[in-house]
Amino acid sequence: MFRTMRIYRRSLGAHFRSLLEYEADFWVLIVAGAMFNALNLLFLSAVFAHVPALNGWSYAEAVLLMGVWSVIGGLSPLFFEGVWRLSWMVNQGTLDYPLVRPAPVTVQVFSSGIGLHGVGDIVTGGAMLGWALFHVDVDWTPLTVVIGLVLLASAATIHLSIIAITNAATFWISGPHPFLAIAVHTFEDMIKYPLTIYGAGIRAVYTFVVPFAFVTFFPVSWLLDRSAGWVGLLGPLVAAYCVWLARTVFRRGLRRYDSSGH
Amino acid sequence: MGLVKAQSLTKVFRRPQKGPGLRGSVKHLFQRRFKDVPAVNGIDVSIEAGEAVAYVGPNGAGKSTTIKLLCGILVPTSGSVEVAGVTPHVDRIANARNIGVLFGQRSQLWWDLPVRESLGLLRDMYDLPKGFYQQRIERLDEVLGIGELMPVLARKLSLGQRMRADLAAALLHQPRIVYLDEPTIGLDIAVKDKVRKFLRELRADGTTLMLTTHDLGDIEDVCERIIIIDEGRKIFDGPLAQMKDSFARTRRMHLHITDGTPMDVIAKHLSTADVSGEGSEVTIAFDRFAHTAGQIIAAVLQVAEVGEFHLDEPAIEDVVRKVYAGELLV
């Protein structure tokens, strides 16, 4: 485990240095990430300028939700950007070398890139989160903090697992671009707002099929002690299930990998 | 008891069968038809520790696929593989520690990183102790001259430099078994010689070597055993010397005649060789067991003035083709 982490860290570090080869990109990406979140917040504020609450959610509560979404959304490009390169690797057959090295293929693939826009996401998301936590009504106890952090970690795990699973579809679909993953990732955009504003169909899909609701809505509902907030406590279970599913899909997928050439 | 063993190894790829053009592609969206293409078809191989084996065949014969099956990249459709007691595609990581792999067409170096960083990453993956790593780097610098390449970005390397750095990357952890898929492809003579010298030293160290190539020179320099495959089947497996003596006898010498001596004069003078050509360009095919190239050129110089000349070695592909076409009996 420690060995895997070390390889992960070293590999990310190396890619970070390679990123610095292109300095302009470095700044463009960070600023772009921050801008994207600023625009989201601007939109949310514009909505709240007209209504006092969104389906029972106050402005601060909605910002909290969006903050969680931005922070989690920023972690994956920063630490797992390589997963988006899987389709290309499978299509081009460049997974050959990772398969003959003594480290998990997932570690080598996931750490094969860094998306610096994640920095912008995390900084602005963190700011939103910080501001909102001061303005929402929560009875803070040490237990709340611990459970809150566990749920945040679970949320990040679920988010990443879904990205990993949809990207691994490439082993079956085999195009050079991860269109399925991109499509699903786009739908994830909807969870930056309270899930209750959507219809029953979408709520069901986001709870049972692609459990995006466990990334933002349920954990935040638990923290705010809303009705059905207890569902949020299932986060770690859902996370474990998602990790198991991702591992299984990857294992099966790698067995199907047919390289390129003859 | 072989170190690398494969039994009735088979890999079948499923390829979509489409009609030509847009129409065929669209039709295939609704009417999916596939064809099974066996890339490797029931191959048995057993390689002893310390052997150096050349694995040859025409393009598309299934060489690279075999290598990928042996190193665990591909999962066989049927048949079994065992390398140093491990089934590669099942116990991938244990297998990875035993083997070194180079695909000459493709680099394993990280594109945007200096060579040093790539090797450092590999050091971490293979858990190489610092002292051992230093020692390996020094050794690899001696034979491959990678010292000067260490600070260079992989994308800035020339093909020859890249191949040297890639060889170093593949052999950094001093693997017992090394698979090289076209290690000299596209290299100039100087680098080729360096690589071959390195491979000879590897062999001398007792490394088990399996090498695919189209270059007869590589094989003669490095290997003592040759396996020929075509269309996924093994068609020859035996000592290189035996194969060469049996099949690859004919060399061709191409000459530019400067004094206008007609071809038939030369042909008459060299009664045991086959002379052909047009005008001042003459080709002489001869049995390399009957004559040396020196004898041939000396004989020609007796009757004609020669400007330029060069020599074609018998190509492995020709031999393979002949064997397969039944012109040569194995």
Side-chain angles (χ1 to χ4, degrees), chain A residues 2 9 14 75 88 101 104 127 135 139-140 194 222 241 244 249:
Chain A
F2 284 117
R9 207 184 59 231
L75 289 174
W88 182 249
R101 294 185 191 129
H135 290 81
D139 288 331
W140 290 103
W222 169 82
Y241 169 72
W244 171 81
V249 169

Side-chain angles (χ1 to χ4, degrees), chain B residues 116-134:
Chain B
R116 177 180 289 120
E117 296 258 4
S118 285
L119 296 179
L121 273 174
L122 290 170
R123 185 188 92 178
D124 283 341
M125 286 194 207
Y126 287 100
D127 296 315
L128 306 180
K130 203 168 178 197
F132 177 82
Y133 176 72
Q134 287 302 343

Side-chain angles (χ1 to χ4, degrees), chain B residues 38-41 43 55-63 227-236 317 319-325:
Chain B
V40 172
N41 201 347
I43 283 185
Y55 195 61
V56 300
N59 290 323
K63 302 187 294 288
I227 299 174
I228 306 179
I229 67 162
D230 197 6
E231 297 187 357
R233 291 177 189 282
K234 188 163 90 170
I235 55 179
F236 179 87
E317 285 101 319
V319 178
V320 174
R321 279 284 166 228
K322 281 184 188 166
V323 170
Y324 197 74

